[in-house]
Amino acid sequence: MTNESSSELVIRRLYQVTQDHSKGFEHQLLELLKMGLERFDLDIAILSKIDQNKYVVKYCVTPDEVPLNPNDCFDLNATYCSMTCNAKGPVGIEHMGEDDALAVHPAYQAFGLESYIGIPIRLNGQLYGTLNFSSPTPYPRMFRDVDIDALQLMASWVEVELIRREQEAQLKALNKELHHLANFDSLTNVPNRRGMHQTLHKDLNRLSRSQGHGTIALLDIDRFKQLNDTYGHQAGDDALVAIAEKITQSLRDYDFVARFGGEEFLLWLPDTAQEECSIVCKRVMENIATIGITAEPITVSIGACHFRFNQFKPDDMSKLIDNIISEADTVLYEAKAQGRNRLNSVTKVLSAD
C-alpha cells in the first residue's frame, strides 16, 4: 500500500468515526482509539490527561489481560508520555529494550512496553495530555512519516473536539447564569416577577385541569420607609435579604416565594385552603419577627386570596393570575388599614358562571 493510499484510508476511516455524533463523544473517542490500534498494529491505546506531575487515564482500549481503567493515575515521570511532553511533538519508538537509556526507563522496568507512539494534546495552547499507543511486543518496522501523519490527524480531531466540548460547557453555564439573572431577584436571590409568572402559569394550568385549589398571598413589610430613613438603605437591603431567607425557611417544600417588587413578596401555596394558609403565614410572621436588624421587631402584613376551580377553565391565564393577585392586594391594603402586622383573607370560587 502506498503512503498516499494509506493516508487516504486513515482520513476516510477518521471521517467515519468522527461523524457519528449521535452516539456521543465517548463512543467516538473509543472508536478512534480502536482505529489507532488497528492502524499501528499495537495493543494499548490511551487518551491521558496531565495534571501537574500526574498522568491520569481518561479513556483507554486494552486487551483483557491488561488491568488499566479510566481514572487510573501514575507518576508522569514513570510513563513514556513524559518523553512526549518534553519533546512537544510526536514520539515513536519501535524497540525500547534495544536502547540502553530507554531500557532503564521506569515505564519499561514496570510494564515492559517495547513499542510506543504518542503525541501531546493541547487545549487552548496549554498541555492537556497525550494520545498514545503502545505494546509489549517490539514494533516489526520503523514508524514512518505516514504513521506520524495519521497520529497527528487523530490528535487534531481530539483537540478540536475537546475545545468544542469546553465551549459547549461554558455556553451551558452562561445560559444557566443568564436564566438565573432573568428569573431571580439579584438582591434576595428568590424568583422575580418573571420567574413568578412562569411558576404560576404552570401550576394554575395544572390546578385548572384537576379543578383544584390554592392560595396566593402578598406580604408587605410594615413601615419599610421608616426603617430605611432610620437605619439607612443598606439596613433596608439587609432586611429584604433576611426576610426572603425567613420566608423560604418557613414555607413547605412545595410552596413558592417571589419578590413582587419593592418591599412586597408573593407567596404561592398550592393545594392550600384558608386554615393551612393561616398556619404557614403565622410561621412566616413569627420567624420574620426574630430578625435583629432593628431595635423593634420587623413586622409584615399579609393579604391572601384563596381560590378553587369549579368547572372552570380560564381562557386567559395571565388575566386570571392578575385578578387573583389584585384580590390579595385589596385585602393586604385592608390589613394595613386595620393596624398592620396581621393576615387578612378572601375566598374566590372560580366557576363557569
Side-chain angles (χ1 to χ4, degrees):
M1 181 180 290
T2 66
N3 284 0
E4 289 75 19
S5 61
S6 178
S7 296
E8 290 173 0
L9 183 62
V10 169
I11 293 171
R12 190 178 304 112
R13 181 79 177 96
L14 184 61
Y15 178 81
Q16 292 171 346
V17 168
T18 58
Q19 289 303 300
D20 197 0
H21 300 293
S22 62
K23 295 183 179 178
F25 173 73
E26 181 172 351
H27 170 82
Q28 290 176 293
L29 199 282
L30 292 175
E31 288 300 308
L32 180 137
L33 293 179
K34 293 175 185 176
M35 183 192 85
L37 292 178
E38 294 171 7
R39 175 66 186 77
F40 303 122
D41 193 22
L42 296 174
D43 300 311
I44 301 168
I46 300 173
L47 174 66
S48 73
K49 190 176 190 306
I50 306 302
D51 184 7
Q52 297 180 342
N53 291 320
K54 295 296 182 182
Y55 175 94
V56 182
V57 177
K58 297 298 291 182
Y59 299 93
C60 62
V61 176
T62 66
D64 293 338
E65 63 271 16
V66 176
L68 191 67
N69 298 288
N71 297 321
D72 283 353
C73 185
F74 304 91
D75 182 356
L76 175 61
N77 293 323
T79 69
Y80 293 148
C81 289
S82 60
M83 298 185 296
T84 302
C85 296
N86 291 332
K88 299 181 180 179
V91 170
I93 302 169
E94 294 83 9
H95 197 162
M96 296 281 181
E98 289 186 347
D99 187 302
D100 291 341
L102 295 176
V104 296
H105 192 284
Y108 186 76
Q109 295 291 317
F111 306 110
L113 297 174
E114 293 285 0
S115 49
Y116 169 92
I117 184 169
I119 188 171
I121 298 295
R122 299 194 174 277
L123 183 60
N124 298 321
Q126 301 297 316
L127 178 67
Y128 171 86
T130 62
L131 176 66
N132 60 90
F133 303 87
S134 58
S135 176
T137 305
Y139 199 62
R141 58 177 174 80
M142 297 292 292
F143 287 118
R144 299 169 295 170
D145 289 344
V146 68
D147 298 313
I148 300 301
D149 290 343
L151 185 65
Q152 289 176 324
L153 280 172
M154 289 186 281
S156 294
W157 178 83
V158 172
E159 289 175 340
V160 169
E161 187 63 17
L162 287 174
I163 291 172
R164 186 193 69 78
R165 285 167 59 82
E166 183 183 68
Q167 291 174 339
E168 186 178 76
Q170 291 173 346
L171 182 60
K172 286 182 179 178
L174 179 60
N175 286 336
K176 184 177 181 180
E177 182 180 355
L178 290 174
H179 180 269
H180 186 84
L181 290 173
N183 292 279
F184 283 76
D185 177 56
S186 59
L187 176 64
T188 61
N189 204 35
V190 298
N192 56 21
R193 281 202 181 198
R194 188 173 187 273
M196 174 198 79
H197 277 290
Q198 288 180 347
T199 295
L200 291 180
H201 268 266
K202 180 183 69 175
D203 282 7
L204 265 66
N205 271 318
R206 174 183 63 82
L207 289 181
S208 70
R209 290 193 300 271
S210 64
Q211 295 297 290
H213 66 282
T215 297
I216 290 178
L218 287 181
L219 177 152
D220 186 269
I221 305 172
D222 294 331
R223 297 184 176 87
F224 186 68
K225 183 179 183 303
Q226 182 178 328
L227 186 156
N228 274 323
D229 292 343
T230 304
Y231 297 95
H233 288 281
Q234 183 58 58
D237 286 349
D238 293 343
L240 287 167
V241 171
I243 287 169
E245 291 176 351
K246 291 296 185 182
I247 294 172
T248 301
Q249 294 166 6
S250 304
L251 298 182
R252 301 160 299 183
D253 291 343
Y254 49 86
D255 295 331
F256 174 87
V257 58
R259 188 176 179 190
F260 192 66
E263 62 268 31
E264 283 190 320
F265 293 86
L266 179 140
L267 311 183
W268 164 227
L269 312 177
D271 306 312
T272 302
Q274 184 168 350
E275 184 177 349
E276 297 168 286
C277 171
S278 297
I279 295 171
V280 173
C281 289
K282 181 180 178 182
R283 184 165 61 241
V284 168
M285 297 168 76
E286 288 175 348
N287 287 339
I288 289 174
T290 66
I291 296 172
I293 292 174
T294 58
E296 297 295 325
I298 296 174
T299 65
V300 297
S301 300
I302 302 176
C305 178
H306 315 292
F307 63 92
R308 61 182 177 88
F309 289 91
N310 181 21
Q311 304 302 313
F312 176 69
K313 294 187 181 298
D315 296 325
D316 188 337
M317 185 58 75
S318 294
K319 184 177 179 180
L320 174 62
I321 291 171
D322 288 343
N323 288 340
I324 296 172
I325 292 175
S326 178
E327 294 279 355
D329 190 52
T330 297
V331 290
L332 170 62
Y333 181 81
E334 292 172 358
K336 290 283 190 181
Q338 293 169 9
R340 302 181 177 87
N341 191 24
R342 57 183 292 128
L343 164 67
N344 280 21
S345 301
V346 65
T347 299
K348 284 179 67 69
V349 178
L350 305 176
S351 65
D353 296 336

